Amino acid sequence: MAVVDEADADNDEGNNMQSRQIYFCRRPDGKPAPDVFEERLVDVAAPRDGEILCRNVTVSVDPYLRLKMYDRRSYTPPLRIGEAIPGRAVALVLESRAPGLAPGDHVVIPGGWQQYALVRGEAARRIDLSVASPGAWLGPLGMTGMTAYAGLMHIGRPEAGETLVVTGAAGAVGGIAGQIGRLLGCRVVGIAGSEEKCRAIVEQFGFDAGLNYREPDLAARLGAACPDGIDIHFDNVGGEISRTVASAFNDFGRLVVCGLISQYSGQQHADPAALDEFMRLVLTRRLTVQGFIVSDLERKFPEFEDRMANWLQTGQIVHREHARSGFGEIVPAFLGMLSGENIGKSIVHLAD
Ligand code: NDP
């Protein structure tokens, strides 16, 4: 990854601070490589009225960023070449000109992949690191936990005794979605990409079964793990795995389309008849299929926050994170997460 020094030696507008920052410099064709990114050293300006200056402590790496690398319409604007990489971070407030926030506070902010961030006070959520770790604030108590909760509760609408299948089951969202389903009395079957992940979701997260999609005969193994059929599929991956799950749906099943990570790097459907077959299942089994973006369900955040904090404090939901340390590890962590290196939430610690 190239490193460019853009800092101004006579930085008199700011506070003589400089920040390492990662930029988007090339649209990938297929799987992204490190040369999609570039690192620069930039000046850090002093906060203006309503702003806080923060030092990023822990940054989140998330799959949606791969979708933002396409130059096409999506639910957020595409990344522009030269744009700083966005992302959520746990940060320490260094200077504040925003009401209600003071130096020494910890916050979750849209901090991006950089050492220091200047953001509006309204964009910051004050957090208590004595209650939960930075990884937990970015994971189960943050956007990923909210995604799992809101998608499962308000679209999947689980009922005790139903069978829930979660794909991407050992990841940040999937691991929490499955644990919530188990708490609500569902039989929970997870699908993930390794034996280690399948063991973790059963032994640590309490799923009833874990199936490795890289082994043969997924359809037969799924049938055996779901003897009463499938009522809800919380889908994080799409593609062939989703088609396999769809064929085992019960009448009135619900497909929660949370993510399609198997297609984010340009993979195509192998079989053009697959959509017709899927639509036949939607009709004959009277399936409900709904995509969602977590921000659609923002009004559910207070309800989520209360319940998730309680589940974590009482040990009913387990948080697991996959952490790297150091600024230079952000890009490898992102690429590693896309390749499946993580169990739980992928994060990178930059500082204490
Ligand atoms: P994860 O922690 O689940 O990490 C990504 C995982 O995806 C990898 O560990 C890997 O696990 C799996 N994966 C990668 N490639 C493939 C593939 N070809 N086939 C199957 N699995 C694959 O990430 P998140 O929990 O942060 O996100 C999970 C999903 O949720 C993503 O699709 C994401 O876009 C979506 N999401 C949606 C939101 C919304 O608002 N709708 C908000 C947040 C996330 P494995 O080893 O099992 O392959």
Side-chain angles (χ1 to χ4, degrees):
M1 187 172 60
V3 179
V4 178
D5 186 348
E6 290 209 335
D8 179 354
D10 304 317
N11 170 21
D12 50 3
E13 191 208 318
N15 34 27
N16 293 322
M17 286 170 64
Q18 295 180 336
S19 182
R20 293 169 76 184
Q21 190 177 57
I22 298 174
Y23 279 78
F24 181 54
C25 70
R26 183 171 295 121
R27 292 198 195 284
D29 182 17
K31 219 170 162 183
D35 66 359
V36 162
F37 304 98
E38 188 176 276
E39 182 184 321
R40 292 177 188 162
L41 196 59
V42 295
D43 292 327
V44 179
R48 288 169 298 195
D49 266 354
E51 290 182 335
I52 51 175
L53 173 64
C54 302
R55 190 179 74 212
N56 281 341
V57 172
T58 302
V59 301
S60 177
V61 293
D62 296 277
Y64 78 92
L65 196 57
R66 176 63 189 91
L67 278 180
K68 282 178 77 67
M69 292 177 182
Y70 289 98
D71 190 12
R72 68 183 180 204
R73 185 181 156 199
S74 188
Y75 61 92
T76 58
L79 281 173
R80 282 169 282 110
I81 301 297
E83 186 176 344
I85 300 290
R88 301 199 78 69
V90 165
L92 174 71
V93 178
L94 300 179
E95 289 179 54
S96 175
R97 293 189 59 188
L101 292 166
D105 285 346
H106 282 99
V107 284
V108 176
I109 54 168
W113 290 5
Q114 55 191 349
Q115 290 174 300
Y116 298 96
L118 199 56
V119 299
R120 300 285 310 165
E122 311 87 80
R125 174 187 180 206
R126 192 139 55 102
I127 58 167
D128 184 348
L129 288 186
S130 69
V131 170
S133 65
W137 284 110
L138 293 170
L141 289 167
M143 188 271 285
T144 50
M146 172 65 184
T147 302
Y149 179 86
L152 184 64
M153 302 296 283
H154 297 286
I155 298 175
R157 302 183 314 280
E159 290 186 13
E162 290 191 318
T163 298
L164 163 68
V165 170
V166 179
T167 42
V173 173
I176 299 298
Q179 292 189 70
I180 297 172
R182 187 210 62 207
L183 282 175
L184 299 175
C186 292
R187 174 173 178 77
V188 182
V189 175
I191 301 180
S194 71
E195 293 304 318
E196 184 195 3
K197 290 186 176 190
C198 291
R199 262 198 314 279
I201 61 177
V202 172
E203 291 171 8
Q204 292 180 9
F205 297 164
F207 285 41
D208 294 285
L211 305 175
N212 180 352
Y213 68 80
R214 294 184 201 277
E215 294 293 325
D217 300 325
L218 178 62
R221 288 182 289 126
L222 187 64
C226 305
D228 298 328
I230 295 169
D231 301 296
I232 307 165
H233 176 196
F234 190 101
D235 194 6
N236 288 309
V237 308
E240 197 181 329
I241 301 171
S242 296
R243 291 200 293 279
T244 303
V245 177
S247 62
F249 259 126
N250 291 327
D251 289 350
F252 304 105
R254 282 89 72 198
L255 171 55
V256 183
V257 185
C258 175
L260 302 169
I261 198 166
S262 72
Q263 292 160 33
Y264 288 177
S265 289
Q267 300 90 333
Q268 298 295 324
H269 274 276
D271 175 5
L275 180 62
D276 292 345
E277 169 59 11
F278 176 72
M279 293 308 285
R280 188 186 68 76
L281 291 172
V282 171
L283 175 66
T284 57
R285 302 203 188 155
R286 289 86 92 203
L287 306 180
T288 301
V289 181
Q290 188 174 341
F292 77 104
I293 298 302
V294 59
S295 50
D296 302 338
L297 295 160
E298 215 168 81
R299 65 189 184 286
K300 305 290 182 190
F301 196 82
E303 161 196 321
F304 151 75
E305 207 177 12
D306 283 353
R307 296 188 82 177
M308 185 58 73
N310 177 266
W311 283 333
L312 282 169
Q313 270 160 18
T314 53
Q316 295 181 83
I317 282 194
V318 174
H319 162 59
R320 187 164 163 174
E321 60 194 38
H322 183 85
R324 291 178 178 239
S325 292
F327 193 85
E329 291 298 309
I330 298 177
V331 169
F334 173 69
L335 301 178
M337 178 273 300
L338 289 180
S339 301
E341 72 171 22
N342 59 307
I343 297 181
K345 179 76 193 97
S346 273
I347 50 168
V348 182
H349 296 303
L350 303 187
D352 290 333

